[in-house]
Amino acid sequence: VVAEALRRACLWSLVGGDTAPDKTQRGVGETWFHYVGNFSSMCATAEDFVDDACRARVMKKAGVDAAAVDKCVTDSGGLEQGHNTVLDETVKALKAKNIVYVPECIVNGVVHWGQLEPQTILATICQGYPRAERPAPCDCVDAAGASAYANCLAGNTGGGGGGGGSKSASGGGGAGMPWYGVLLLVVSIIVVMLLAGLAYWKHTQKQMRDQVRGILAEYMPLDDVGGEPDRPAVFSVSSAGAGVA
């Protein structure tokens, strides 16, 4: 597990880090996501997880430069010397940003919850825009399948300028409920449930009081017997017609 974490950290520095050769991929690292996604599906078993051949197939499919990754692992200290500069920096970053699991993605200072796939992360990014101002690539969030997503991105990132917003934002009737509307709906449901519970409790209390009054009404106090003022009162159950001393 540690070795795979080190390889992924090295891969990110090569394809998505601040010094990545492709400047357009800095902070994006699309190749890294392809590798992680393919690794999860192709090397899912415990045996395949540590199998060099399986990892090599994944790297080839994702277009990863395996030699560059291995060099990064070795140059950073490997796993035999006790300290590894890449892992040390990763641990420092985990503590500094209070990250509780890896890999983890932070968007606008908020931890992204969900699968670490380009499409799901794009959805998280687009949620930070007002609906009327979302950029065109946000139309691709609901694309079905990787190929449809890629085609959508190709059609919505072609150099058209930034003012029009996405099609779904400028279109008419597909607007969903905003977050504050959902919150208001939830609060309303809770209030209604509390009021209903209070009404039911009052109803049961009234029924209980009526039952107690009915039981007490069946017993009638009789006059003192034999002129003995200190003798306790004698009660009679009116419904049965028999006296009880």
Side-chain angles (χ1 to χ4, degrees):
V1 174
V2 176
E4 180 60 25
L6 175 57
R7 279 189 291 269
R8 294 185 182 187
C10 280
L11 176 59
W12 176 260
S13 67
L14 293 171
V15 301
D18 295 336
T19 59
D22 187 351
K23 295 182 179 180
T24 63
Q25 287 295 309
R26 293 178 182 177
V28 178
E30 188 173 350
T31 301
W32 185 91
F33 286 99
H34 289 326
Y35 171 76
V36 173
N38 289 325
F39 189 92
S40 299
S41 60
M42 296 172 61
C43 303
T45 65
E47 294 78 9
D48 289 339
F49 188 91
V50 296
D51 183 38
D52 293 339
C54 185
R55 182 173 61 255
R57 290 193 297 270
V58 173
M59 287 189 172
K60 183 177 180 180
K61 183 176 181 179
V64 174
D65 186 348
V69 173
D70 291 340
K71 185 176 185 303
C72 172
V73 170
T74 302
D75 293 347
S76 61
L79 296 173
E80 306 298 332
Q81 300 179 12
H83 287 283
N84 184 282
T85 57
V86 172
L87 292 179
D88 289 344
E89 291 299 322
T90 301
V91 172
K92 289 180 182 179
L94 293 177
K95 293 180 179 179
K97 296 185 178 180
N98 196 28
I99 296 175
V100 295
Y101 71 93
V102 291
E104 187 169 88
C105 176
I106 298 177
V107 178
N108 295 330
V110 179
V111 175
H112 164 79
W113 297 102
Q115 295 180 341
L116 292 180
E117 298 290 342
Q119 196 166 349
T120 57
I121 294 177
L122 176 62
T124 302
I125 295 173
C126 291
Q127 288 175 1
Y129 290 91
R131 192 168 186 85
E133 300 177 9
R134 289 183 180 179
C138 289
D139 289 329
C140 304
V141 169
D142 297 325
S147 60
Y149 173 72
N151 293 334
C152 181
L153 282 181
N156 284 281
T157 56
S166 68
K167 297 175 183 177
S168 58
S170 59
M177 182 179 293
W179 67 267
Y180 52 83
V182 176
L183 179 61
L184 180 61
L185 178 61
V186 172
V187 172
S188 301
I189 293 175
I190 293 175
V191 171
V192 170
M193 292 178 65
L194 289 175
L195 292 177
L198 180 62
Y200 178 75
W201 178 79
K202 288 184 176 181
H203 177 69
T204 56
Q205 292 296 311
K206 182 177 182 302
Q207 280 187 329
M208 186 178 297
R209 287 194 295 269
D210 292 341
Q211 290 176 357
V212 172
R213 291 194 187 100
I215 293 173
L216 294 177
E218 295 179 357
Y219 294 88
M220 299 174 59
L222 301 179
D223 294 335
D224 293 339
V225 179
E228 301 177 11
D230 295 332
R231 183 173 178 174
V234 179
F235 291 87
S236 172
V237 181
S238 59
S239 60
V244 180

